Amino acid sequence: PDVIGNIELVVKAEYKNFKNNASNGTEITVKSSNIINSKEKLNVTLNGDSSLSVTKGNYVEEGITITYDDENITNKTGVIKLYKLNNKTYLSINDLQDAVNKLDNGTYKITYNVTYLTETENTTRTIEIK
């Protein structure tokens, strides 16, 4: 749970059918710094620059790093990686690199889509080919 501020918990003892004689209760304050954020987060970051210029035929794909709840899962089974370029989807970095190296001069955008468990994230890289 995401918590801002403190949480005060009060525990009281009472009879099921007679609540008028409930105990004063015991109170405890839990500080938000003691609450762990249980929401996992998928994060995709580019290796290398997000925008670069290369000579035609000399592109080297540096790939991406994928973390989930701050753990590197880039090569973990169950991580689905798709690389999109010019309305085509590639399943491997090598296929993507080969496709980029066959492009004519111009500016292109690669979208890296990652799905893990129920989360999907993406990032992009812009390439200028000269």
Side-chain angles (χ1 to χ4, degrees):
D2 292 326
V3 175
I4 298 174
N6 297 332
I7 298 173
E8 293 183 8
L9 302 172
V10 179
V11 178
K12 294 184 177 186
E14 61 187 25
Y15 289 105
K16 178 179 178 182
N17 295 323
F18 185 65
K19 301 190 187 296
N20 290 341
N21 70 343
S23 69
N24 291 334
T26 300
E27 184 174 319
I28 184 172
T29 301
V30 180
K31 296 184 183 212
S32 65
S33 62
N34 294 339
I35 303 296
I36 297 172
N37 185 350
S38 65
K39 181 181 177 188
E40 271 61 90
K41 181 67 179 145
L42 182 64
N43 192 359
V44 179
T45 54
L46 294 171
N47 298 337
D49 295 329
S50 61
S51 181
L52 52 103
S53 180
V54 296
T55 304
K56 183 177 179 176
N58 292 318
Y59 177 72
V60 176
E61 174 57 49
E62 295 185 49
I64 53 178
T65 298
I66 306 161
T67 58
Y68 185 76
D69 198 23
D70 295 327
E71 175 188 348
N72 187 328
I73 62 165
T74 304
N75 297 313
K76 186 173 184 173
T77 301
V79 177
I80 300 168
K81 297 174 258 188
L82 301 174
Y83 312 101
K84 295 187 180 184
L85 170 70
N86 289 345
N87 297 318
K88 290 186 181 180
T89 301
Y90 301 91
L91 302 176
S92 77
I93 291 287
N94 290 337
D95 290 345
L96 172 64
Q97 182 174 294
D98 290 345
V100 171
N101 281 321
K102 293 176 184 172
L103 294 172
D104 291 327
N105 294 356
T107 301
Y108 302 90
K109 181 174 152 182
I110 299 171
T111 302
Y112 304 78
N113 289 311
V114 176
T115 302
Y116 181 67
L117 300 176
T118 60
E119 294 187 47
T120 300
E121 287 293 322
N122 65 60
T123 190
T124 59
R125 183 183 328 262
T126 302
I127 301 166
E128 180 185 9
I129 299 176
K130 296 180 179 180

